[in-house]
Amino acid sequence: MVRLEIVKKIYEPLIGIFGVRVGRGMLITGMLIVLAVVIMAVFAPLIAPYNPTISAGKPFQPPTKEHLFGTNRLGQDMFSRIVYGSRIILLVVISATLISMSVGIPLGLISGYVGGKLDRAFSMVMDSIYAFPSLVLAIAIAAMLGPNITNTALAISIVYIPTYFRMIRGQTLSLKEQLFVEAARALGARDREIMFRYILPNLAPTIVVVFSLSVADAILTEAGLSFLGLSVVPPTPDWGYDLRVGQPFLLNGYWWLVFFPGLMVMLLAMGFAFIGEGLGERFALGGER
Amino acid sequence: MTLLRVENLKVHYYTLSGIVRAVDGVSLSIEKGEWLSVVGESGCGKSTLAYAILRLVPPPGRIVSGRILLDGTDLLRLGGEEMRRVRGSRISMVFQDPMTSLDPLRKIGDQIVEAIVEHEELDVREARKRAEELLASVGLTSDMVNRYPHQLSGGQRQRVTIAIAMSLNPSLLIADEPTTALDVIVQDRIMDLIEGFKAEGTSIMLVTHDLALAAERSDKIAIMYAGKIVEYGPVDEVIDSPMHPYSKALLESTPRLRGPKRLRYIPGYPPDLRRPPPGCRFHPRCEKALKICSQKEPEPRYLNGRMVACWLYSGEVG
Ligand SMILES: Nc1ncnc2c1ncn2[C@@H]1O[C@H](COP(=O)(O)OP(=O)(O)O)[C@@H](O)[C@H]1O
Ligand SMILES: [Mg+2]
């Protein structure tokens, strides 16, 4: 999750100045941002003044009272597109992340707990996926599968499986050495029970943190994919897609076509990243995230 | 009747820097309802021996050879599932650090219930009732079932782990330094508790570095040095007339047993178990070492229920 370095660059100096309170501030800020976007997505029909897929007026109007974020080449209301676009990005990213979790977590748990040859094999596969830059890999997979929402979600989910795998495996390795796990074994607990009832619950804080951080990263990846035309098909409102379509008109001075979608992508990614970092701070999780 | 008989057990750790011979040919036995204490300096292989009896030696450790007979059945020949059923219900174990041997996330009651239903077809209501009885049996009030481990003191937690270990009425309770992390008064209470279970017929194997603690309540004592049992016998005899020079040295360095006499400490260090010295492993530190001690390993000699592995006794005993 290389790109989240940016977030770290923002908050680490802040911690230097304000101390640990930054953690809570970030957590709250992040939650407010995410909550706002979620509300936007849920109540999109009530919030958006126009239908986002049809023309609502003259093309290329700058922001006005009628069109808060202006209109695009087809005269569609950008504000309405942004509001509806939140649905797509949340849907894709959250479902992709859930898939990554449901594969990465059990594999990491089993691999770390069982160890030996199985662990080496799993780790090798995961490390080789992890070695690719996430966007490049997502592009390759999405291009192979073809552009539609399901495939985008799949491509993204594959990219983030190793993130969960590595984190969970690492923590399992240290948790399985813990005395209470040893004690459970000495009482005759089955391996399956030890993994899922003793170790897994103790991983919950880690999982929550990694979830937020990987969602943040996946948002950028999704936007990147749809920017390249590898995600939704028009006229579906989508932030990354709007960024791409608006970008050539930047030369004409139509800044609102890219500014608002770009801002939203950044805000949402930062919102999740703040939650992740804030929680991480709170749980005092050290090491690799 | 003999409950557990360990015969010539070898457990080695296959590390990158060499083979650690942590348990190297240990034999001992525990009768039904008997308390055996295994005493030795830290690093001599006591915990490894304890884990090996439950077949829970962590990698890179492996049980290399020997037999572990429980009521005549060799545990080393059992299948994984059969062995799992032995753990907890026939042999159970209490660990040194009560702070970390409970799951921090679950209530005390749930952890006891879990241990019970792991082995027995009991519905949760009955198991909960049993949990409360168990807590009472270790001197805790039944409202503890709703507490989390961090809400308990060290001594209370160790009581809970003992309650869990005793929840299935095992024939053998192995306690690995159960009181090392606790203060002296709490230590005594915990020992009382274990003694109570012994009185009800459970055999005890106490693993400790503290000879005085072992001397107080054991029936038999095994003195372990560098992966081997060097002396073994009824507690009074071993304490009153130790035979092996290491046992003597250990005794003389234990204040509570020596009384006002001048304390002695044992010169030198225990050997590196990757490269133990030839012959008797204690000879480099032994005042009475003979020539043969550095050349040949002494065979164990048995007499009247006592055992000693030392060249000094090769003629006189056995
Ligand atoms: N997991 C392990 N890997 C390698 N060596 C080990 C491991 N556990 C214990 N040992 C070694 O085995 C020897 C015996 O250890 P242990 O059984 O813990 O002794 P004790 O309980 O008497 O202090 C020590 O030399 C220790 O360094
Ligand atoms: Mg030990």
Side-chain angles (χ1 to χ4, degrees), chain A residues 14-26 278 281-282:
Chain A
L14 289 179
I15 286 188
I17 302 166
F18 299 108
V20 284
R21 264 171 305 163
V22 176
R24 188 194 286 171
M26 273 195 327
E281 200 84 355
R282 165 158 298 190

Side-chain angles (χ1 to χ4, degrees), chain A residues 13-274:
Chain A
L14 289 179
I15 286 188
I17 302 166
F18 299 108
V20 284
R21 264 171 305 163
V22 176
R24 188 194 286 171
M26 273 195 327
L27 185 57
I28 293 170
T29 315
M31 295 218 273
L32 288 178
I33 295 174
V34 171
L35 188 69
V37 178
V38 168
I39 289 175
M40 210 165 153
V42 171
F43 299 105
L46 301 177
I47 297 169
Y50 303 95
N51 182 328
T53 57
I54 56 175
S55 172
K58 278 189 281 174
F60 298 132
Q61 292 182 60
T64 58
K65 257 217 201 99
E66 288 82 55
H67 302 288
L68 279 177
F69 292 175
T71 62
N72 65 9
R73 178 172 61 106
L74 301 171
Q76 293 159 340
D77 178 51
M78 282 306 288
F79 179 69
S80 304
R81 286 189 66 79
I82 294 282
V83 171
Y84 273 95
S86 63
R87 288 187 158 184
I88 302 292
I89 197 157
L90 282 179
L91 181 72
V92 170
V93 164
I94 301 280
S95 52
T97 309
L98 290 180
I99 299 174
S100 309
M101 281 170 73
S102 55
V103 178
I105 292 173
L107 287 188
L109 199 55
I110 293 169
S111 195
Y113 184 78
V114 176
K117 288 204 187 88
L118 181 90
D119 182 37
R120 256 170 282 152
F122 277 173
S123 297
M124 214 165 72
V125 173
M126 291 296 170
D127 285 348
S128 50
I129 299 178
Y130 194 78
F132 283 96
S134 47
L135 187 58
V136 175
L137 182 63
I139 290 170
I141 300 169
M144 213 165 68
L145 296 174
N148 68 48
I149 294 191
T150 322
N151 291 346
T152 310
L154 267 181
I156 295 175
S157 70
I158 293 172
V159 170
Y160 294 99
I161 289 174
T163 306
Y164 286 95
F165 174 85
R166 289 161 56 106
M167 193 68 210
I168 296 300
R169 175 182 171 273
Q171 299 250 326
T172 303
L173 284 180
S174 69
L175 273 171
K176 80 168 175 183
E177 303 286 317
Q178 297 262 314
L179 211 46
F180 75 87
V181 171
E182 203 73 63
R185 216 173 290 147
L187 282 168
R190 295 176 177 83
D191 287 334
R192 182 167 26 94
E193 275 152 351
I194 292 177
M195 278 190 271
F196 291 97
R197 296 179 69 167
Y198 290 79
I199 296 181
L200 187 58
N202 280 285
L203 292 173
T206 309
I207 292 173
V208 174
V209 170
V210 178
F211 173 80
S212 313
L213 293 178
S214 70
V215 166
D217 205 62
I219 285 165
L220 301 179
T221 306
E222 198 276 344
L225 284 181
S226 51
F227 183 81
L228 296 168
L230 289 168
S231 184
V232 299
V233 270
T236 318
D238 178 83
W239 299 349
Y241 173 78
D242 280 355
L243 258 176
R244 174 173 75 126
V245 178
Q247 182 235 345
F249 301 106
L250 207 51
L251 294 175
N252 309 37
Y254 304 156
W255 57 272
W256 58 91
L257 294 182
V258 293
F259 176 76
F260 294 109
L263 181 71
M264 289 310 294
V265 169
M266 213 191 74
L267 268 182
L268 187 58
M270 247 173 55
F272 277 108
F274 275 9

